[in-house]
Amino acid sequence: MNVLLVSDVSISKVIGGAERVIYEQGTRLAKRGHRVVHLTRMAPEHRTSAAGIHGVLEYRYPVDWRTPIAFLSATLRNGGRLFEKLERKFGFDAIVFHQPFSATAVCARPSAGKKRMVYTCHSLAFEEYASRNLEPPGIPGKLGFRSHILFRKWMERYCLGRADRICVLSEFTKEKLRIAHGVKSEKVTVIPGGVDLKRFRPAFDRKAIRRSLGFPTDRFVLLTVRNLVPRMGLENLLTGFSKAVCAVPELFLVIGGQGPLRRKLSKTVDALGLSEHVRFVGFIPEPRLADYYAMADLFILPTRELEGFGLVTVESLACATPVLGTPVGGTSEILGDFEPELLFDNISADAMASKISVLCAKFINEPSSLESLSRRCRQYAEDRYSWDDNIRALEKLLAG
């Protein structure tokens, strides 16, 4: 089968959940004998308009970043033209859309309608925009902000309407589509995200990994890996963590990721007197990510809103590292089916402080209980979140 993947991000560098899903699906489809082409926009760091990435041919169209109107015009024009060029060259059997800008450019071309089209919704695009950006002051700023939201919502609805089938990673996102866009449930298929079970594995020697990364070996280590943006709930985590440290002084928190909140979070750490208990490590390169999961005693997912699935959750579980998460979106589905005790009561700092204090004290005093839970984490990931299962389900969807 000749498959076209369409998105707004490149898989040349995996820096988030969307890139991870597209990379895993594309490369694994290619390994199963399909011809896979990825159409996306050219990012400022790209030096070429095409690249081969582990069996996937990625083609990039140029965009104009100067103004929103110039950007949109270039996206629709250049994205559509690139699609037509690739269609003449490869003759696609199916198209899998992942994000609305490039998807709109392709959907608007008449030849796209002759293909089997599947739209994969990671999260609602207009909600993501509203969450990641603060509404500017003043009437012109507010109007522009709300126009961006409405236009993203329109583009997403247009693409959803053109698709033959819609794929989501969680029941949470399926319900979101029903409420926001009126999508009927029979058009939607839930295919959970996955984890590379060979790469993400339990640590053979956790303390050795900690030493190699420069972390203390005599502390109870918590890890979170997030984009440092408001919706991730990191401010609540730090406030709650400061209270937990008072009850359990052995705690040590590692924060991986980068983003606009970095300076504010650092000041919060200083203000709370946590400099000896918290370390920021910045962006964690893909080759080292599994080591970070495996060296931690617990992973913390403090998301405030819009957790469509949470690949970090299943990646951590695969490394036999239990996850404490807020009851938001897909996290409730993953942890609720496994061990409800790992869910915070709510997203507040007090809820995090209470759960972290109680469970960490228990695990420190009863190491065997943490070892038992860790083994169950790995088994749960193996049973429920293999990428092979994800790809088989996607193939069925593409075949119609």
Side-chain angles (χ1 to χ4, degrees):
M1 185 182 297
N2 288 346
V3 181
L4 175 66
L5 308 180
V6 178
S7 79
D8 299 330
V9 295
S10 171
I11 60 170
S12 60
K13 182 179 181 181
V14 176
I15 58 174
E19 292 96 325
R20 169 57 60 197
V21 172
I22 300 164
Y23 172 86
E24 294 290 350
Q25 290 186 343
T27 57
R28 290 172 185 271
L29 284 171
K31 287 180 181 178
R32 291 171 69 88
H34 302 283
R35 174 184 280 165
V36 182
V37 176
H38 180 214
L39 182 155
T40 188
R41 63 184 175 223
M42 183 176 289
E45 65 269 18
H46 288 149
R47 295 294 176 263
T48 62
S49 60
I53 304 169
H54 299 137
V56 177
L57 298 174
E58 180 171 282
Y59 290 88
R60 306 150 181 163
Y61 61 87
V63 291
D64 187 337
W65 299 91
R66 291 176 298 175
T67 67
I69 296 298
F71 174 81
L72 177 61
S73 177
T75 294
L76 298 179
R77 179 180 65 255
N78 297 335
R81 287 175 179 173
L82 179 57
F83 165 69
E84 290 179 337
K85 178 181 177 180
L86 296 177
E87 165 59 20
R88 288 192 296 269
K89 182 175 183 178
F90 297 107
F92 299 110
D93 301 302
I95 305 174
V96 184
F97 301 108
H98 282 273
Q99 290 154 326
F101 281 90
S102 297
T104 299
V106 173
C107 282
R109 300 289 166 149
S111 56
K114 302 174 184 178
K115 312 296 176 184
R116 172 78 172 170
M117 293 195 293
V118 174
Y119 191 97
T120 299
C121 182
H122 302 259
S123 61
L124 300 186
F126 70 93
E127 287 190 342
E128 281 280 353
Y129 178 83
S131 175
R132 289 175 180 269
N133 298 275
L134 296 175
E135 186 175 53
I139 294 177
K142 291 181 183 297
L143 288 176
F145 180 78
R146 293 172 188 178
S147 296
H148 277 296
I149 292 173
L150 289 174
F151 190 74
R152 280 168 170 77
K153 188 172 185 178
W154 175 87
M155 283 196 302
E156 193 167 57
R157 184 171 296 183
Y158 169 73
C159 295
L160 291 167
R162 293 274 286 161
D164 298 295
R165 296 290 300 177
I166 298 166
C167 173
V168 296
L169 278 66
S170 64
E171 293 288 345
F172 167 77
T173 304
K174 180 179 179 179
E175 178 63 9
K176 282 274 189 180
L177 287 175
R178 184 191 68 81
I179 294 172
H181 296 296
V183 176
K184 295 182 179 179
S185 61
E186 54 266 27
K187 190 177 180 178
V188 184
T189 299
V190 179
I191 304 178
V195 56
D196 186 335
L197 294 167
K198 293 181 179 179
R199 187 160 76 92
F200 295 96
R201 300 183 62 83
F204 177 73
D205 188 338
R206 178 174 287 165
K207 287 189 176 181
I209 297 176
R210 286 188 188 175
R211 282 193 292 269
S212 72
L213 295 172
F215 299 134
T217 59
D218 59 345
R219 307 281 286 276
F220 194 87
V221 178
L222 311 182
L223 169 71
T224 190
V225 181
R226 305 267 73 192
N227 290 322
L228 307 186
V229 296
R231 81 170 182 87
M232 299 304 183
L234 294 165
E235 301 99 322
N236 282 346
L237 172 59
L238 288 176
T239 301
F241 182 72
S242 68
K243 298 177 181 179
V245 165
C246 294
V248 189
E250 300 97 323
L251 297 182
F252 186 83
L253 174 63
V254 177
I255 300 177
Q258 58 190 12
L261 286 183
R262 175 65 172 82
R263 180 174 296 181
K264 179 181 179 181
L265 294 173
S266 295
K267 290 182 178 180
T268 300
V269 167
D270 292 337
L272 293 172
L274 292 173
S275 59
E276 297 298 317
H277 294 270
V278 177
R279 185 176 303 173
F280 293 91
V281 295
F283 175 76
I284 301 174
E286 277 292 305
R288 297 310 305 268
L289 190 54
D291 284 342
Y292 275 83
Y293 287 127
M295 69 83 195
D297 292 299
L298 291 177
F299 187 94
I300 309 295
L301 193 71
T303 314
R304 192 180 70 192
E305 59 182 353
L306 306 182
E307 192 67 55
F309 180 74
L311 291 177
V312 293
T313 302
V314 293
E315 289 172 352
S316 184
L317 294 176
C319 292
T321 300
V323 178
L324 300 184
T326 49
V328 175
T331 304
S332 296
E333 296 172 38
I334 298 170
L335 297 181
D337 286 348
F338 171 56
E339 182 51 75
E341 184 185 29
L342 297 177
L343 285 167
F344 295 116
D345 292 338
N346 52 62
I347 66 171
S348 71
D350 285 342
M352 293 184 202
S354 176
K355 183 75 71 172
I356 291 172
S357 300
V358 171
L359 286 184
C360 290
K362 173 186 175 181
F363 293 145
I364 290 171
N365 294 323
E366 302 173 20
S368 61
S369 63
L370 178 58
E371 292 171 4
S372 175
L373 177 60
S374 295
R375 288 192 294 270
R376 289 173 51 216
C377 288
R378 173 65 188 188
Q379 190 61 54
Y380 182 66
E382 290 179 354
D383 293 342
R384 296 281 292 269
Y385 297 108
S386 164
W387 275 120
D388 291 336
D389 293 339
N390 178 282
I391 298 305
R392 283 192 288 268
L394 179 61
E395 283 180 320
K396 290 182 180 179
L397 209 59
L398 295 180

